[in-house]
Amino acid sequence: MTRFLTLLNKEITELMRNGKLIWLPVVLMIIGISQPLTSYYMPQILDMAGNLPEGASITIPTPTGEEVLSGALSQYGTIGTLLFALATMNVIAQERQNGSITLVMVRPVNEWQYLGSKTVAQLALLLLSLILSYCLTWYYTNLLFTPVDWKVMLSSLVMYCFWVLFVVCVTIFVGTIIRQSSAIAGVSLLFLALISLLTTLLPKFMEWSPGNIRGEATKLLVEQQWTESAWTVIGSTATLSLLLFLAGVMVMKRYRRY
């Protein structure tokens, strides 16, 4: 445990040095609050940019608070997933390129401690960023639209956190196999996109898929209650994330030869 905490402290220090603790929360908060602000001022935006005839007006139904938060989750599912993968791609690749991974693995540190410290540190960063962004989005949504109960908001946030867990585990696992950072991000995003595509094309056979998390979180916002399908998706996502972590540990064992 002492070695794990030492490695975890090293990872957190590295996050502070490279600025991820600053730029990632800020970018996610901008993405989050852009949803309620854009939805609220959309008629004015279209009026200014639409070149409508004189006297014409645009009438857009006012969305509910739940619909606005669902739109924010959609933003997290596209731009957010890209940011999550980009923020995680260098976790192992940088140490493999500069050779420091060899110095770490020849010490009395096992693969669980090494990979676990990186996974926990990245999850802490990404979840903190997501929580700050989503709570700020919820605040502005309550100001501009119909209020959303904080318990419903929190439940949808908890559910979406499992998608972040899955993205981190996928990216770190790919990082144990591939050396180049750009290739790690590309393969990870391709795999995540494939999961989402198959979930859309084969809904009957992919009810368990992690790609359903955003849909289940949106359903939770609308119906305001947990469903059996939501628990199925959460369980499968957590299981797949654990399997990816274990596979990464097995791959890391090869560094013991160097």
Side-chain angles (χ1 to χ4, degrees):
M1 180 59 72
T2 301
R3 296 191 186 99
F4 171 78
L5 294 177
T6 301
L7 290 172
L8 181 60
N9 182 65
K10 166 186 166 296
E11 293 299 324
I12 294 176
T13 302
E14 184 65 25
L15 291 177
M16 297 176 63
R17 287 177 179 174
N18 58 31
K20 286 184 182 179
L21 280 174
I22 298 176
W23 70 260
L24 187 58
V26 170
V27 172
L28 272 184
M29 284 190 286
I30 293 175
I31 292 173
I33 64 175
S34 65
Q35 185 66 31
L37 293 178
T38 302
S39 299
Y40 185 78
Y41 291 107
M42 184 58 69
Q44 292 87 335
I45 295 174
L46 294 177
D47 187 42
M48 294 176 60
N51 296 323
L52 297 175
E54 184 177 355
S57 61
I58 300 176
T59 302
I60 299 178
T62 302
T64 63
E66 290 80 6
E67 291 173 341
V68 174
L69 286 183
S70 298
L73 290 177
S74 179
Q75 295 281 11
Y76 296 142
T78 52
I79 303 176
T81 299
L82 174 63
L83 289 174
F84 298 152
L86 292 177
T88 311
M89 66 181 183
N90 281 325
V91 170
I92 299 177
Q94 187 174 6
E95 294 186 357
R96 293 182 66 183
Q97 291 170 1
N98 60 29
S100 61
I101 187 173
T102 304
L103 299 176
V104 174
M105 298 310 294
V106 297
R107 297 177 180 273
V109 174
N110 60 45
E111 295 79 9
W112 300 84
Q113 295 167 342
Y114 178 80
L115 215 59
S117 63
K118 293 185 176 298
T119 302
V120 171
Q122 290 300 311
L123 273 178
L125 168 65
L126 300 186
L127 293 181
L128 174 63
S129 303
L130 177 64
I131 290 171
L132 292 175
S133 176
Y134 198 60
C135 288
L136 187 62
T137 303
W138 172 69
Y139 172 75
Y140 275 96
T141 299
N142 284 352
L143 284 180
L144 302 176
F145 302 94
T146 56
V148 179
D149 185 75
W150 69 270
K151 295 180 181 178
V152 176
M153 180 276 295
L154 187 60
S155 296
S156 63
L157 173 61
V158 170
M159 180 176 293
Y160 197 80
C161 285
F162 282 90
W163 175 253
V164 179
L165 170 65
F166 185 67
V167 172
V168 170
C169 290
V170 167
T171 308
I172 289 182
F173 170 70
V174 174
T176 63
I177 302 175
I178 302 176
R179 184 180 296 270
Q180 293 79 14
S181 300
S182 58
I184 293 172
V187 172
S188 300
L189 291 172
L190 181 62
F191 176 77
L192 294 169
L194 181 62
I195 288 289
S196 299
L197 179 62
L198 290 176
T199 302
T200 302
L201 296 178
L202 304 171
K204 182 178 180 180
F205 301 99
M206 300 289 288
E207 294 179 353
W208 53 269
S209 171
N212 283 320
I213 285 184
R214 184 175 63 85
E216 292 295 336
T218 299
K219 186 188 300 183
L220 178 60
L221 287 171
V222 176
E223 300 180 1
Q224 300 188 1
Q225 63 179 359
W226 291 82
T227 61
E228 183 178 351
S229 59
W231 291 111
T232 301
V233 172
I234 288 176
S236 65
T237 303
T239 301
L240 288 175
S241 299
L242 178 60
L243 292 176
L244 286 168
F245 176 79
L246 295 177
V249 169
M250 298 303 295
V251 173
M252 286 297 299
K253 289 183 180 295
R254 73 177 185 265
Y255 292 110
R256 289 295 183 187
R257 300 196 301 265
Y258 303 142

